[in-house]
Structures are given as C-alpha cells and as structure tokens.
Amino acid sequence: MLKIAIVGCGKIADSHASVIQRIPGCEIVGVCDKEELMAIQMYERFPIKRYFTDIGKLLEETQPDVVHITTPPQTHLEIGLQCLEG
C-alpha cells in the first residue's frame, strides 16, 4: 500500500484527494494544514486516517511514501525540504 499525505487543505487539495482515492493500492494516511478547521473539514470529506496542524508530526506519525504539497507556491521549497529531511 502506497501511503500518501497531503499538506495544505484548500480547494486544490480536494482534487488531489479525489484522484488519489481512485488509484488502487493508495491510501491517504494524513492531511495537514496550519488552520485546524481546514484539516478537519478535509478529513471529514474523504477517507483519510488522520489530520494534523504540524507537518513534523504528520511525517513522524504517518511516515508517508509520497507527500502532495498543495499550499501556495512560495511555500513549496520550505515544505519540500522539511519532507525530505523528515
């Protein structure tokens, strides 16, 4: 099973989640957003195991194979580096 996490729970994240859940052998193990309400709402809309407000905890506790970064573009480098280091 390919474990996938999503960082950033805005509109585009829904598109990613919709496609991921149609791919055999993939599961969304967690979502993360600084705004807890956004993470909770996405967690409730899709079959997602957990939600987080801290990327470090998401990475540590779910150990994803893939991370979809669906935050504003200017944040991608910092989040991507954190994912690679975590």
Side-chain angles (χ1 to χ4, degrees):
M1 184 64 66
L2 189 64
K3 300 186 301 183
I4 300 172
I6 300 175
V7 176
C9 297
K11 287 183 180 182
I12 195 67
D14 281 9
S15 297
H16 284 248
S18 293
V19 172
I20 292 166
Q21 65 183 0
R22 292 187 300 204
I23 301 171
C26 292
E27 70 175 330
I28 303 172
V29 294
V31 294
C32 182
D33 199 288
K34 288 182 179 180
E35 297 293 331
E36 186 174 27
L37 181 59
M38 296 293 288
I40 290 170
Q41 288 174 343
M42 186 162 188
Y43 166 81
E44 291 173 345
R45 283 193 304 273
F46 294 94
I48 295 170
K49 295 196 177 248
R50 300 185 60 194
Y51 69 88
F52 299 84
T53 57
D54 179 89
I55 297 171
K57 286 184 181 182
L58 165 77
L59 297 172
E60 180 183 327
E61 294 182 24
T62 66
Q63 299 185 340
D65 300 306
V66 176
V67 178
H68 286 231
I69 302 172
T70 57
T71 58
Q74 64 271 21
T75 65
H76 289 185
L77 176 61
E78 181 182 341
I79 293 170
L81 290 172
Q82 188 173 359
C83 291
L84 290 170
E85 293 167 358

